[in-house]
Amino acid sequence: MMGEQSVMQEELFYGFSLERHVPADHLLRAIDRFVDLSAIRQHLAPFYSPIGRPSIDPELLIRMLIVGYCFGIRSERRLCEEVHLNLAYRWFCRLGLEGDVPDHSTFSK
C-alpha cells in the first residue's frame, strides 16, 4: 500500500551544520587554513566614516573575491548568486545559512 503525506509539516528546529556539509578535501578548506583576515578591519578602519549606515564587512568582501578568483567566477552578479546558493562558499565566507549576501553593486561602488 502506498502511503501519502497529508500535511506538509516543517520542523520547528533544525540541527544543520555547514561545517559537516563541506567535504574535508574541498579546496576552500585548504585555503581557509592559510587565510587570516582578522586584522583587516583595524587596518581599514581609518577609511570608514563614523556616520551613515553600516558598511559591509570587508572580510566578507575579500573572502567572496577569493571564491570568485579560485572558481573562475568573473561576474560580480554571478558571484553573489553562487555564494548565496553554494554551502561551501557560504561556509568560507562565514555567512551561515541565514547570512545575507551583499548586493552585486557593492563591488562596483
Side-chain angles (χ1 to χ4, degrees):
M1 175 171 164
M2 185 185 332
E4 180 181 340
Q5 182 177 355
S6 57
V7 178
M8 186 174 141
Q9 294 181 344
E10 296 185 22
E11 292 184 40
L12 186 58
F13 300 102
Y14 289 95
F16 187 85
S17 168
L18 278 177
E19 185 71 32
R20 292 184 314 166
H21 285 80
V22 177
D25 61 345
H26 197 282
L27 175 63
L28 290 177
R29 281 202 184 267
I31 293 170
D32 191 54
R33 282 186 220 125
F34 298 103
V35 173
D36 180 20
L37 299 173
S38 58
I40 196 76
R41 285 181 204 86
Q42 291 176 344
H43 181 71
L44 295 175
F47 300 102
Y48 286 87
S49 174
I51 59 172
R53 63 182 177 165
S55 65
I56 309 269
D57 184 6
E59 181 178 353
L60 170 60
L61 294 176
I62 292 172
R63 285 181 175 277
M64 286 180 68
L65 289 173
I66 290 171
V67 168
Y69 295 144
C70 290
F71 293 97
I73 304 171
R74 298 180 185 174
S75 161
E76 286 91 3
R77 186 181 305 261
R78 183 70 181 159
L79 175 61
C80 291
E81 290 173 2
E82 289 294 325
V83 170
H84 178 74
L85 295 173
N86 190 309
L87 293 178
Y89 298 171
R90 291 185 79 84
W91 171 83
F92 182 75
C93 293
R94 310 292 193 260
L95 285 172
L97 290 175
E98 298 292 325
D100 291 329
V101 177
D103 190 71
H104 64 88
S105 63
T106 305
F107 290 99
S108 58
K109 291 183 181 179

